[in-house]
Amino acid sequence: MEKVALWGMWELALRAEQISGNPFDVEIKALFAKDNRKMTAFGFYDGKDDDGSYIFKIRFMPDAQGDWAYETISEDAALDGHTGSFNCTAPEAGNHGVARVNGTHFNYGDGTPLYPFGTTCYAWIHQPEALRRQTIETLKKTRFKKMRMCVFPKSYDYNKNEPEIYPFEGNLADGFDYTRPNPAFYKLLDESVVEMANIGIEVDLILFHAYDRWGFSTMSKEDNHRYLRYVVARLSAYPNIWWSLANEYDLLRHLDIQAWEDFAKIIQEMDYVEHLTSIHNCYGFYNHSRNWVTHCSIQRQDVYKTTEYTNEWIAEYKKPAVLDEIGYEGDISWGWGNITAEELTRRAWEGYVRGGYPGHGETYMSDDEVLWWSKGGVLKGESPARFDFMMKIAEQMGPISYLPKFNPWDLPVGGVEGKVYLAYFGFNRPRFRDFYSDNPWLGNANMPEGRYRVEVIDTWDMTITDAGEMEHDKLYVKLPGKQYMAVRLTKIG
Amino acid sequence: MEKVALWGMWELALRAEQISGNPFDVEIKALFAKDNRKMTAFGFYDGKDDDGSYIFKIRFMPDAQGDWAYETISEDAALDGHTGSFNCTAPEAGNHGVARVNGTHFNYGDGTPLYPFGTTCYAWIHQPEALRRQTIETLKKTRFKKMRMCVFPKSYDYNKNEPEIYPFEGNLADGFDYTRPNPAFYKLLDESVVEMANIGIEVDLILFHAYDRWGFSTMSKEDNHRYLRYVVARLSAYPNIWWSLANEYDLLRHLDIQAWEDFAKIIQEMDYVEHLTSIHNCYGFYNHSRNWVTHCSIQRQDVYKTTEYTNEWIAEYKKPAVLDEIGYEGDISWGWGNITAEELTRRAWEGYVRGGYPGHGETYMSDDEVLWWSKGGVLKGESPARFDFMMKIAEQMGPISYLPKFNPWDLPVGGVEGKVYLAYFGFNRPRFRDFYSDNPWLGNANMPEGRYRVEVIDTWDMTITDAGEMEHDKLYVKLPGKQYMAVRLTKIG
């Protein structure tokens, strides 16, 4: 019997000699059954083979080991009624399954915690191969666990080059046929998703965005739906896919809320894997209370303050908060893209200690117009090393929550209640902090009784210094009078 | 005829051999008349003279040149019915009169603009003389135009030393008689106010505050009113007085809004000079819409963001915004007192470019516990020089307003519409800025037509670099990719 690893991809290719009309409009799906469970995976047209046959594919990602049976269903006789079975074996090394929400945090399918601190290269797949290779090589040297990237190419400052291949048939000069996705492009997207999986990176796949000169952002409802169905049918069987309905949905001004709800409904109907799904704002948030929104996907809220609200958003939506576009380390003209590495790292720690998953981004001006934020390439900044350091701490500590009752007004404290507390000082630079005090200004922020191991963390210099053990009522911690310090208090008795 | 300079102090001393009861409860005032105008100034008891007589004084600050006549009125026969006259001459050099509100800015009485960027030494007058002298000498080297300071001593971290003299009769061991102000203390306060006037500094005099171990913050309503009447009677004739009803009124939890309104009413009834009057918050603002509130007196609003709201407050209250306690350059434990010079300077510029008057403060830990914020002494930080630089620019440019229609989302722009525009980049550090663009993301923030002189201001390194002249549609300004830059665009055609 054919074998496929757990959370791996099983694929069936079917041929049809003749198709009347648009082959992208042919309905094909398959029922997959194991024991009492049945799941439906949708197929997609993948172009003609060398002898002119129409190739349709159905992909399936099994979520349980054992024998699975399938049967295809199609309005086209050549595609209908194919049956068979395969055996699902143990997962391949490194495949932990599909990301799931666990409270206000994340796990992989196998229960391993996932800390999706990520980065963004919106249009890296639309760049020449050498640059794509360089992007992958760069990512291998980082700890990032998520990549925010677009299906469609990007048209914006520093994004004037044409992609070599488009997601629809056609070209810029002659126009595009928005009714016909380009299978060759989607093979590239498939490969890119796999490449990310191979280096342990979740793909936060942006399905629509407004930065466009090809008409992809202003297609008809029918074309949008056909496109979306194509992408979901094609990519759902990859374990590392997250659906991001939009980058800055509110800049797609011709699409109203119902349009986005309709998109979400298509995904929910077709995606039997139930990948994480969200939608990213420019101005105000989309209603993250909607059932289909698995986690908050958040852009900075103003020039000055964003991740400092993280705990409020988590409390409001009771969902994880993933904070992409909290500002980019760089030096371009716009305020979102010219903050220092120190400021980006500060924002990241503010979001992390409050229980969220802030992401990295980089926009250094460059004569070759290859800015990481969009095209990938190499990282030039100083913040990736700090993200790496922060992520190591996050992975050591386990999922943390903002702990309001331990928070005085001037110092966010997160942690695992009763076990470990992490206080972050940001741009403040005290020479000491008294964590237990009869000073009335401390409010109720005293640490609970017990004995603590005290560590002083320099989030910029990336050092962790043991400051000894202290009783809860003598938690006086000396600090170096520098910015970007944190204190970790681990309860040991 | 006796002479007194305009906005100077005329003083009348009267003696009474016998006073039954508390001499601080004796009512004494005088009518002052010039042409058709009449004004009432209240007198105050100033202690006994060497032969045991009770000395009462009436002070008057004439606001117009020419002959003035006076007549005293008192329930005490010895103090009642004294008459006389004096001639008011031209003001002494350097005395520009009493600060007045001019729109959302300030003038002196003679119409000269006043830019009240100040500093704070809450308890400097409660320190030993040598330290007071040092404070004055330090201030002489700065450009600060306002000092925020308390009548009452302060009890708080780093403020454990006892003052040599108290504002009421008594001492800490035996208790205080809150019905009897101590004239010797008020002579010191008089002198301190004059010393400030001599170096061109307005006194933002804090009448009540909560940081107390002497009982001055919890006196009875009657004692509070007696004290307040005493201060107003005694000090109104100094031109450089501003009344600050409280530092952090909301920490005086036993005083309700009516108590503050009653205080304001006493000031309004007694202060014929009509000094600037406000009240400072800890948490939420007092209602700055009240008629007696001449200007907003504002503390930081949260750890991250304060002066960035300045334009909103000015728009809401239609009054000037004076921003004290926007954070202190220093390294003490609390978040309000451990920001860098860069961050304090950044906050100051954010407030300035938005049309407000942010103030300086300093809290560096020191073995001698002499922190500028409370005790004065010497300045150790790097921000005073930057305040000096900013104030020179402010004085050159004249009063500026936030100009919303020239503000893109990421760059505050203030100025004098049609004449000069000042854009402040804060912690952002672009390598260029295009002030006129067909980029749709710039919104309506294009500069108006004309020709501009362009200057690049480094607010930290304190340099102003001429970047040439540019037409409005070619306002592309190269920047050094550093934080804390500003661009000034002066219309020259």
Side-chain angles (χ1 to χ4, degrees), chain A residues 156 302 304-305 330-333 335 338-340 347 350 354 364 410 427-429 431 433 441 483, chain B residues 156 302 304-305 330-331 333 335 338-340 347 350 354 364 410 427-429 431 433 441 483:
Chain A
Y156 188 73
D302 71 27
Y304 307 97
K305 199 171 164 184
D331 58 6
I332 64 171
S333 179
N338 56 26
I339 64 173
T340 61
R347 294 182 190 187
E350 282 282 351
R354 292 165 191 273
Y364 278 106
D410 61 344
F427 52 62
N428 293 121
R429 44 146 193 192
R431 291 209 169 270
R433 184 74 180 194
W441 312 109
Q483 293 186 313
Chain B
Y156 188 73
D302 71 27
Y304 307 97
K305 198 171 165 185
D331 57 7
S333 179
N338 55 27
I339 64 174
T340 61
R347 294 182 189 187
E350 282 282 351
R354 293 166 190 273
Y364 279 108
D410 61 345
F427 52 63
N428 294 121
R429 45 145 193 195
R431 290 209 170 270
R433 184 74 181 195
W441 312 108
Q483 293 187 312

Side-chain angles (χ1 to χ4, degrees), chain B residues 219-358:
Chain B
M219 300 189 297
S220 70
K221 177 177 174 179
E222 189 184 8
D223 293 342
N224 279 337
H225 286 193
R226 185 188 299 101
Y227 151 72
L228 185 58
R229 293 178 65 87
Y230 190 81
V231 171
V232 176
R234 182 157 191 137
L235 292 160
S236 285
Y238 292 107
N240 60 324
I241 284 285
W242 299 23
W243 306 119
S244 181
L245 263 60
N247 191 46
E248 302 178 331
Y249 81 94
D250 38 1
L251 297 187
L252 289 144
R253 298 182 199 278
H254 61 294
L255 294 178
D256 60 12
I257 295 298
Q258 190 56 52
W260 296 109
E261 290 294 319
D262 290 345
F263 294 161
K265 197 173 174 194
I266 288 171
I267 292 173
Q268 291 219 296
E269 285 171 357
M270 293 181 63
D271 174 20
Y272 62 94
V273 179
E274 298 179 356
H275 290 283
L276 296 177
T277 305
S278 192
I279 181 168
H280 191 72
N281 64 292
C282 180
Y283 305 106
F285 296 164
Y286 198 90
N287 178 1
H288 287 161
S289 297
R290 298 289 303 168
N291 277 337
W292 58 265
V293 175
T294 54
H295 60 283
C296 304
S297 175
I298 286 170
Q299 173 155 201
R300 71 182 149 51
Q301 284 301 283
D302 71 27
V303 176
Y304 307 97
K305 198 171 165 185
T306 288
T307 53
E308 297 82 359
Y309 297 113
T310 302
N311 54 296
E312 295 175 36
W313 294 324
I314 293 171
E316 178 176 357
Y317 296 109
K318 298 177 179 61
K319 296 180 180 180
V322 178
L323 310 149
D324 294 303
E325 295 204 76
I326 61 176
Y328 293 79
E329 179 185 348
D331 57 7
I332 65 172
S333 179
W334 300 109
W336 55 260
N338 55 27
I339 64 174
T340 61
E342 289 87 344
E343 173 66 6
L344 180 57
T345 304
R346 186 194 71 75
R347 294 182 189 187
W349 271 86
E350 282 282 351
Y352 163 53
V353 81
R354 293 166 190 273
Y357 295 95

Side-chain angles (χ1 to χ4, degrees), chain B residues 176-188:
Chain B
F176 294 94
D177 183 349
Y178 303 122
T179 71
R180 290 182 176 261
N182 179 2
F185 169 82
Y186 284 95
K187 286 189 174 72
L188 170 64

Side-chain angles (χ1 to χ4, degrees), chain B residues 438-454:
Chain B
D438 56 2
N439 188 319
W441 312 108
L442 194 60
N444 298 314
N446 291 328
M447 285 294 120
E449 291 193 13
R451 190 163 178 79
Y452 292 87
R453 177 186 313 287
V454 180

Side-chain angles (χ1 to χ4, degrees), chain A residues 323-368:
Chain A
L323 309 151
D324 293 303
E325 294 204 79
I326 61 175
Y328 293 79
E329 179 185 347
D331 58 6
I332 64 171
S333 179
W334 300 109
W336 55 261
N338 56 26
I339 64 173
T340 61
E342 288 87 344
E343 174 66 7
L344 181 57
T345 304
R346 187 193 71 73
R347 294 182 190 187
W349 270 87
E350 282 282 351
Y352 163 53
V353 82
R354 292 165 191 273
Y357 294 95
H360 163 268
E362 184 179 295
T363 46
Y364 278 106
M365 281 179 73
S366 173
D367 287 343
D368 64 7

Side-chain angles (χ1 to χ4, degrees), chain A residues 227-411:
Chain A
Y227 151 73
L228 185 57
R229 294 178 64 87
Y230 191 79
V231 171
V232 176
R234 181 157 193 136
L235 291 160
S236 285
Y238 292 106
N240 59 326
I241 282 285
W242 298 23
W243 305 120
S244 180
L245 262 61
N247 191 46
E248 302 179 330
Y249 80 94
D250 38 1
L251 296 187
L252 288 145
R253 297 181 199 280
H254 60 294
L255 294 179
D256 60 13
I257 295 298
Q258 190 56 52
W260 295 107
E261 290 293 320
D262 289 346
F263 293 162
K265 198 173 174 193
I266 288 171
I267 292 173
Q268 290 218 294
E269 286 172 357
M270 294 181 63
D271 173 20
Y272 61 94
V273 178
E274 298 179 355
H275 290 283
L276 295 178
T277 305
S278 193
I279 180 167
H280 191 73
N281 64 291
C282 180
Y283 305 106
F285 296 163
Y286 199 90
N287 179 3
H288 286 161
S289 298
R290 299 290 301 167
N291 278 338
W292 58 264
V293 176
T294 54
H295 61 282
C296 304
S297 175
I298 286 170
Q299 171 153 202
R300 71 181 151 48
Q301 282 301 284
D302 71 27
V303 175
Y304 307 97
K305 199 171 164 184
T306 287
T307 53
E308 297 84 359
Y309 297 113
T310 302
N311 54 296
E312 295 176 35
W313 295 324
I314 293 172
E316 179 176 355
Y317 296 109
K318 297 176 180 61
K319 295 179 181 181
V322 178
L323 309 151
D324 293 303
E325 294 204 79
I326 61 175
Y328 293 79
E329 179 185 347
D331 58 6
I332 64 171
S333 179
W334 300 109
W336 55 261
N338 56 26
I339 64 173
T340 61
E342 288 87 344
E343 174 66 7
L344 181 57
T345 304
R346 187 193 71 73
R347 294 182 190 187
W349 270 87
E350 282 282 351
Y352 163 53
V353 82
R354 292 165 191 273
Y357 294 95
H360 163 268
E362 184 179 295
T363 46
Y364 278 106
M365 281 179 73
S366 173
D367 287 343
D368 64 7
E369 301 212 333
V370 177
L371 281 63
W372 175 262
W373 127 91
S374 189
K375 294 183 182 172
V378 295
L379 283 163
K380 299 166 184 171
E382 296 179 284
S383 62
R386 278 76 192 182
F387 270 82
D388 184 285
F389 177 75
M390 180 181 76
M391 290 176 70
K392 277 185 205 157
I393 289 173
E395 291 164 21
Q396 286 164 6
M397 285 185 62
I400 68 167
S401 304
Y402 185 70
L403 300 171
K405 68 175 167 177
F406 303 119
N407 276 267
W409 69 274
D410 61 344
L411 182 64

